[in-house]
Amino acid sequence: GHDKVVASLLRLGAAPDLADREAWTALMHAAAHSSTGSVTAIRDLVRAGAMVDRRAGPEGKTPLLIAAEKGNELAADELLRAGAQKDLKSRGKTALDLALADGNKKCAERLG
């Protein structure tokens, strides 16, 4: 959700898909945080070449799956606009399934 930091790092040449120790990229972290800044960070990262359907962790979650699980409807909207695939699954569940399972109704409406 720190869009200004993301923009600065990208301007300085940071790789948009560099992963941390848990194999999460900046796009995944932005998807996990509900804030208006996460939307701008997602937009900037995608423009810089971040892969919207990259998977991470033992469950193979994508940024959209992470946003749905966290109930981050703003991030889910932006990821869908960027071309994220709604039908990808983690442990047999789609983003819609994860949103519904966690009671994230607004996010589920956007995914449905």
Side-chain angles (χ1 to χ4, degrees):
H2 298 282
D3 57 323
K4 289 176 182 26
V5 173
V6 168
S8 293
L9 289 169
L10 290 172
R11 267 193 310 276
L12 293 170
D17 260 346
L18 189 62
D20 64 14
R21 288 183 209 136
E22 286 78 39
W24 274 39
T25 64
L27 190 59
M28 292 168 182
H29 284 285
H33 295 284
S34 294
S35 74
T36 55
S38 67
V39 172
T40 306
I42 289 167
R43 192 174 301 131
D44 289 347
L45 288 161
V46 169
R47 281 187 195 139
M51 296 186 302
V52 291
D53 290 323
R54 181 172 173 169
R55 294 179 177 269
E59 296 177 3
K61 289 185 180 167
T62 65
L64 183 60
L65 290 163
I66 293 165
E69 186 174 54
K70 300 289 185 178
N72 189 349
E73 66 264 9
L74 295 174
D77 277 346
E78 189 60 34
L79 289 163
L80 290 169
R81 276 193 289 279
Q85 296 181 44
K86 291 194 295 187
D87 60 338
L88 295 179
K89 296 180 180 181
S90 171
R91 295 196 174 184
K93 295 189 179 196
T94 65
L96 178 59
D97 296 332
L98 291 173
L100 290 170
D102 287 331
N104 299 319
K105 294 178 184 178
K106 287 183 182 180
C107 197
E109 288 172 7
R110 287 175 160 78
L111 293 163

